[in-house]
Amino acid sequence: MSFFKVEHLTMKFGGLMAVSDLSLTAKEGDLIGLIGPNGAGKTTVFNMITGRLLPTEGKIYFRGKDITGTQSHIINAGGIARTFQNIRLFNDLTVLENVMIGYHGRLRSSFWEAIFRLPRYKSEEKKMRSMAGELLAEVQLDNVADEKAGTLAYGQQRKLEIARALATNPRLLLLDEPVAGMNPRETGDMMDFINSIREAYGLAIILIEHDMRFVMGLCEHLIVLDHGVTIATGLPVEIQNNPQVIEAYLGEPEGA
Amino acid sequence: MSERHRREWIYKLCTYGAIVGLFAFFLQVQNQADEYQIRILNVSAVFVTLAVSYNLINGVAGQFSLGPNAFMAVGAYTTALLTLSPAEKELSFIIEPIIWPLSVLHLPFLPSLLIGGAFAALLGFIMAFPVFRVRGDYLAIVTLGFGEVIRVVANNVQSITNGPLGLKGLSEYTNLWWSWGVAVFTVFCVTRLVKSSFGRAMQAIREDEVAAAAMGINVFRHKMLAFVVHAFFAGMAGGLMAHLITTISPTLFSFFLTFNLLVIIVIGGLGSMTGSIIAAIIITHAGEWLRAVEEPMAIGPFNIPGIPGMRMVVFSIMLILVMIFARQGLMGRREFSWKWFCGFLKIGKRRG
């Protein structure tokens, strides 16, 4: 039984082939990079894995279960969490509340117990609050815990989004362009941050990124997509020298 | 820690004190005020109940529903049919006789009111399945449609609703205790729900549905929860309204009612329960005070004849002003808290 496996995943939007016949496997603790030029279908892959899109063809298995076409919140409860390319925080909620949302799916009290503040709900709420506080301290956002999420600086918002995903207790984390729009120093910090949470939580991570230095420095295994087609897979060094990949990114050499 | 606990206790005592104070005030009012003033207070309470519960689905969960008139109608009819005695029912149903179980049922006010709310909640539960397949403007249109469907059904199922004749001669059970009792209970339940983990989940859905689902929140279940709770209290409010004006007919529950509620929650601030309460009270009172503008008046040398409907013009201007100068409404998404209140008083002291 493999930890995470995608078989022949295909997504067509009408006549457009967004993703074609993608297969990948991941073991527990793997760090895989999904790269490719704009419009290659990388985010579409994440959307299919997390249940936002129903793949046209193909299967997704997670911890031995077929999760293809399952609803998003059930997939999340099963242990897959994600972040978004264009940050999607709950802007009007506080930083702490954003993280507490991550625990709500595992709340066992009913809404009756919540309205009348019965003992079980009270203790669960207290636990939620303290766990969220601890998580924020770990990612160094505890000093802004009571600020509205929408008011945070860009880098902090990215971090908060990851923290919120971690709160749902995932085994597999999907990061969609975690360093988009960051300067080299921030990118370096984020690299360390991702490495540290990976070790601390024993997570498998799949990430989408354009920043080559970031991807080459972090990932152990790469998959390159171009127009939905997998054009190369392998170690970062292999990918770097793959003529097809260079062509996809830089265009055909002149006179070829 | 103990300091914080002590403070929370004091705030709690303040809340209970305020509620006791409110009812003491009503005791006074009941003895001294005239019937007209008491009536306005009763109507205010019904609108507080309606606005607070409506704000749960529209403001907190961010689902733009236009169907509270449907739930009010169901609540009002159910309650009225249960409190009317079999003899009274036989007298009113002149076109078609009333069907069997309803013809003999007769219950006291409180159980009728609760069953009225429960029936509205049941309708909300059933409606949620088709309605929440769509979002945004489409949701508004579908719920609007359901509101109209309920009205048409009430007009045509004569053996249950007595058709366009409606139900008349209901006992005037609704008094200050009932109306404000239900209002306080509604505010208690709804604010507790909003401040709980479930309320946070609803707000998360309002902020970003996709992200909420990806964070493990069952989006449909939480929309449904907000909708059903809203329906329950709107149904109770319908029952109270029926026994306040003692006559109900399908025309009473037109879209106009929903429109009024929408004005209240927008002026109060979408998502703020405090705002809804304040706006509900202000608007019901203003509706009475503004009767003055519909009377004939003399401004200087000009004699203006009475124009019926002038109040609505004033309301519209108010709404336009709110939209221009206070887009977030009176309260935005802020809520009243004793902490804020104490801070407010302290500032006042320092200045003085």
Side-chain angles (χ1 to χ4, degrees):
Chain A
M1 182 188 92
S2 60
F3 173 68
F4 179 70
K5 192 160 80 175
V6 168
E7 279 178 352
H8 310 296
L9 207 58
T10 299
M11 186 76 224
K12 284 184 208 161
F13 295 113
L16 178 83
M17 185 72 90
V19 176
S20 154
D21 199 23
L22 173 87
S23 296
L24 74 88
T25 48
K27 293 188 301 295
E28 225 152 329
D30 271 359
L31 212 173
I32 296 175
L34 198 57
I35 62 172
N38 281 326
K42 305 175 300 273
T43 299
T44 307
V45 173
F46 275 17
N47 285 344
M48 285 189 282
I49 296 173
T50 55
R52 239 186 116 187
L53 291 172
L54 180 66
T56 319
E57 269 169 57
K59 293 277 175 210
I60 304 160
Y61 299 94
F62 182 59
R63 298 209 269 189
K65 255 190 277 174
D66 181 1
I67 60 163
T68 325
T70 313
Q71 283 175 294
S72 292
H73 66 271
I74 297 170
I75 289 178
N76 177 269
I80 301 181
R82 73 172 291 185
T83 64
F84 296 88
Q85 188 177 354
N86 40 351
I87 306 174
R88 279 169 172 261
L89 288 170
F90 309 124
N91 287 329
D92 208 48
L93 300 184
T94 67
V95 169
L96 186 74
E97 286 171 333
N98 263 274
V99 176
M100 285 170 82
I101 292 291
Y103 298 109
H104 181 73
R106 276 168 286 145
L107 191 76
R108 296 182 58 212
S109 310
S110 67
F111 77 97
W112 294 110
E113 290 169 271
I115 288 178
F116 296 105
R117 298 284 191 270
L118 298 185
R120 179 160 74 156
Y121 174 76
K122 265 182 161 173
S123 75
E124 278 191 310
E125 168 85 18
K126 210 171 158 191
K127 205 173 137 204
M128 242 192 241
R129 198 167 282 275
S130 72
M131 276 162 72
E134 279 167 31
L135 186 58
L136 282 179
E138 247 172 85
V139 301
Q140 283 141 27
L141 285 174
D142 46 339
N143 52 334
V144 289
D146 295 324
E147 308 275 330
K148 292 260 160 84
T151 64
L152 291 192
Y154 184 80
Q156 288 180 314
Q157 292 200 355
R158 284 261 175 236
K159 252 186 177 175
L160 175 58
E161 220 192 6
I162 297 176
R164 186 181 67 178
L166 288 176
T168 66
N169 193 23
R171 304 309 309 149
L172 171 65
L173 185 61
L174 309 177
L175 300 175
D176 199 342
E177 301 203 16
V179 296
M182 286 186 175
N183 65 33
R185 225 194 78 201
E186 289 171 324
T187 305
D189 288 347
M190 185 54 87
M191 215 189 261
D192 295 339
F193 177 63
I194 291 174
N195 266 325
S196 72
I197 56 166
R198 181 184 170 208
E199 269 169 42
Y201 293 84
L203 288 172
I205 295 176
I206 301 179
L207 65 88
I208 293 177
E209 193 44 70
H210 278 296
D211 190 322
M212 277 305 139
R213 205 180 315 162
F214 178 76
V215 172
M216 298 295 171
L218 200 59
C219 301
E220 291 139 2
H221 188 84
L222 290 180
I223 296 166
V224 190
L225 292 185
D226 184 27
H227 296 291
V229 182
T230 314
I231 56 172
T233 59
L235 300 171
V237 269
E238 296 169 356
I239 299 293
Q240 248 166 340
N241 303 315
N242 186 316
Q244 251 187 311
V245 176
I246 295 166
E247 194 188 302
Y249 267 93
L250 302 175
E252 278 176 57
E254 230 166 301
Chain B
M1 193 68 190
S2 64
E3 170 68 9
R4 224 188 70 200
H5 266 282
R6 206 169 58 96
R7 239 173 216 216
E8 272 168 19
W9 265 106
I10 291 171
Y11 292 153
K12 235 181 221 176
L13 282 178
C14 285
T15 308
Y16 294 136
I19 293 170
V20 171
L22 186 73
F23 283 98
F25 166 71
F26 290 145
L27 200 65
Q28 200 69 12
V29 166
Q30 191 116 34
N31 293 332
Q32 292 176 359
D34 58 39
E35 217 166 287
Y36 177 61
Q37 285 167 318
I38 291 176
R39 196 180 176 82
I40 299 174
L41 277 176
N42 275 324
V43 175
S44 302
V46 172
F47 272 91
V48 166
T49 309
L50 283 168
V52 166
S53 69
Y54 190 36
N55 208 346
L56 178 68
I57 184 78
N58 270 29
V60 177
Q63 304 302 308
F64 193 65
S65 155
L66 290 177
N69 55 331
F71 301 127
M72 276 188 80
V74 170
Y77 271 101
T78 313
T79 315
L81 284 168
L82 291 174
T83 56
L84 280 173
S85 70
E88 285 169 319
K89 279 185 251 192
E90 207 175 326
L91 267 178
S92 341
F93 282 70
I94 43 177
I95 306 174
E96 266 179 55
I98 187 165
I99 53 164
W100 168 68
L102 287 172
S103 60
V104 290
L105 272 172
H106 189 201
L107 291 171
F109 189 44
L110 181 63
S112 307
L113 206 55
L114 289 172
I115 293 172
F119 259 78
L122 179 69
L123 175 75
F125 177 77
I126 296 166
M127 257 172 81
F129 290 96
V131 157
F132 288 124
R133 296 182 74 91
V134 290
R135 284 184 200 116
D137 305 349
Y138 302 100
L139 177 71
I141 292 167
V142 174
T143 47
L144 177 72
F146 265 101
E148 287 304 292
V149 167
I150 294 295
R151 211 164 55 82
V152 171
V153 167
N155 246 327
N156 289 292
V157 191
Q158 299 193 333
S159 53
I160 297 175
T161 62
N162 204 19
L165 292 177
L167 301 171
K168 294 189 178 67
L170 308 173
S171 315
E172 207 182 327
Y173 286 121
T174 307
N175 54 24
L176 286 173
W177 313 116
W178 281 116
S179 63
W180 282 97
V182 170
V184 167
F185 180 64
T186 307
V187 172
F188 170 83
C189 288
V190 173
T191 48
R192 282 287 191 95
L193 185 63
V194 171
K195 277 193 199 160
S196 76
S197 189
F198 290 90
R200 273 198 299 275
M202 288 172 194
Q203 285 166 311
I205 292 168
R206 173 189 73 200
E207 296 292 311
D208 194 320
E209 206 174 307
V210 171
M215 291 304 116
I217 288 173
N218 187 338
V219 172
F220 176 72
R221 242 191 82 205
H222 286 85
K223 285 182 183 175
M224 159 97 91
L225 176 64
F227 201 54
V228 169
V229 171
H230 149 59
F232 177 76
F233 289 116
M236 293 248 285
L240 285 172
M241 185 80 114
H243 290 86
L244 182 66
I245 52 184
T246 67
T247 303
I248 53 171
S249 66
T251 46
L252 182 65
F253 304 101
S254 67
F255 176 67
F256 188 66
L257 202 61
T258 299
F259 174 75
N260 268 343
L261 278 175
L262 204 57
V263 170
I264 289 174
I265 63 170
V266 169
I267 286 183
L270 280 173
S272 167
M273 297 303 156
T274 317
S276 289
I277 297 167
I278 295 171
I281 295 172
I282 290 179
I283 298 276
T284 14
H285 280 82
E288 298 303 319
W289 296 330
L290 286 173
R291 278 183 197 283
V293 303
E294 294 185 358
E295 315 254 297
M297 30 182 177
I299 302 174
F302 302 104
N303 272 315
I304 301 166
I307 307 165
M310 202 53 197
R311 280 190 296 166
M312 289 302 125
V313 177
V314 177
F315 271 130
S316 310
I317 293 171
M318 251 168 73
L319 196 59
I320 292 168
L321 289 179
V322 166
M323 287 296 103
I324 294 174
F325 295 110
R327 190 116 358 133
Q328 297 279 305
L330 290 174
M331 296 293 289
R333 278 173 187 163
R334 290 183 299 267
E335 295 287 356
F336 173 84
S337 68
W338 290 108
K339 201 173 155 191
W340 169 84
F341 188 67
C342 291
F344 182 76
L345 285 185
K346 260 178 210 158
I347 290 165
K349 265 182 204 162
R350 240 178 254 157
R351 272 188 199 150

